[in-house]
Amino acid sequence: MRPYKHPAVDEFVLERVLYALSDSIRLEIVRHLARVECATCGELDGGRPKSTVSHHFKVLREAGLVRTESNGTTHINTLRGTEIESRFPGLLPAILAQGEKAPGRRRKLAA
């Protein structure tokens, strides 16, 4: 099996990172990986079809958010949090913190 391609830190593009995180499934994967050291694709698939999950991991890898390594037939995924932090300081913690806040009422802005 060919190894997966992962962009170097200096190749991370903000728009690509934000696009990857704009999908609720991919954001859920990133949030899970932020809580654990690593996880297999099976642990992160949420019962979704393999083709769908493969697409989401491809987007996350191409954005530089996730590193996927093969261990036999198992794929081990890790969050590239330190690398994202070095390229875009504060971005990932700010995005992940949004999931921790309880939804509140929107206040009308004064005209």
Side-chain angles (χ1 to χ4, degrees):
M1 182 176 290
R2 290 190 327 233
Y4 290 105
K5 293 182 181 179
H6 301 92
V9 174
D10 63 347
E11 296 173 332
F12 293 175
V13 176
L14 181 60
E15 292 85 355
R16 198 172 291 157
V17 171
L18 294 175
Y19 170 75
L21 293 171
S22 70
D23 181 88
S24 62
I25 294 170
R26 293 190 291 265
L27 183 56
E28 178 184 320
I29 290 169
V30 169
R31 283 186 175 135
H32 183 88
L33 288 173
R35 293 188 304 269
V36 299
E37 185 176 332
C38 62
T40 65
C41 291
E43 292 173 76
L44 299 167
D45 70 7
R48 295 174 189 93
K50 185 177 178 179
S51 60
T52 301
V53 175
S54 294
H55 167 73
H56 288 305
F57 277 105
K58 179 181 178 189
V59 172
L60 291 168
R61 272 193 308 275
E62 289 176 350
L65 288 160
V66 171
R67 178 172 299 281
T68 305
E69 301 293 335
S70 296
N71 184 2
T73 59
T74 303
H75 298 100
I76 307 296
N77 301 283
T78 56
L79 183 63
R80 296 177 72 183
T82 304
E83 295 157 295
I84 290 290
E85 182 66 21
S86 71
R87 179 78 166 133
F88 306 114
L91 177 67
L92 196 54
I95 289 171
L96 294 175
Q98 293 304 307
E100 298 171 1
K101 296 179 181 176
R105 293 182 145 207
R106 294 186 130 205
R107 293 186 296 176
K108 285 187 175 180
L109 296 176

